[in-house]
Amino acid sequence: MIRPGVDVEHYLRAVAAARDAVRAGRMEKAVIARPIEVVSDRPIDVHAVLHRLKATFGSSYRFSIDGFIG
């Protein structure tokens, strides 16, 4: 099961606020991310997840620390 870590409407408001701040010149850049929670009744292959992230988002940074993967 995949669940959002923050309310979707809250996330969308934050994205709009960051966009507006960049457009207004109050910020130069915004890195937009949101947490999700993945619940499984079987073990999750962390290496497979990291490889999939690399294949999908090759130029991004990836990490696995204390049960957090990103």
Side-chain angles (χ1 to χ4, degrees), residues 15-63:
V15 169
R19 177 204 60 210
D20 293 346
V22 169
R23 285 182 177 168
R26 294 189 308 273
M27 293 174 27
E28 291 184 23
K29 176 172 76 170
V31 177
I32 307 298
R34 66 183 175 126
I36 61 168
E37 182 179 354
V38 179
V39 179
S40 176
D41 58 353
R42 297 186 305 185
I44 295 173
D45 183 344
V46 173
H47 293 300
V49 172
L50 291 171
H51 283 289
R52 180 75 180 262
L53 287 172
K54 182 178 181 180
T56 306
F57 307 102
S59 64
S60 66
Y61 292 99
R62 290 157 305 280
F63 65 88

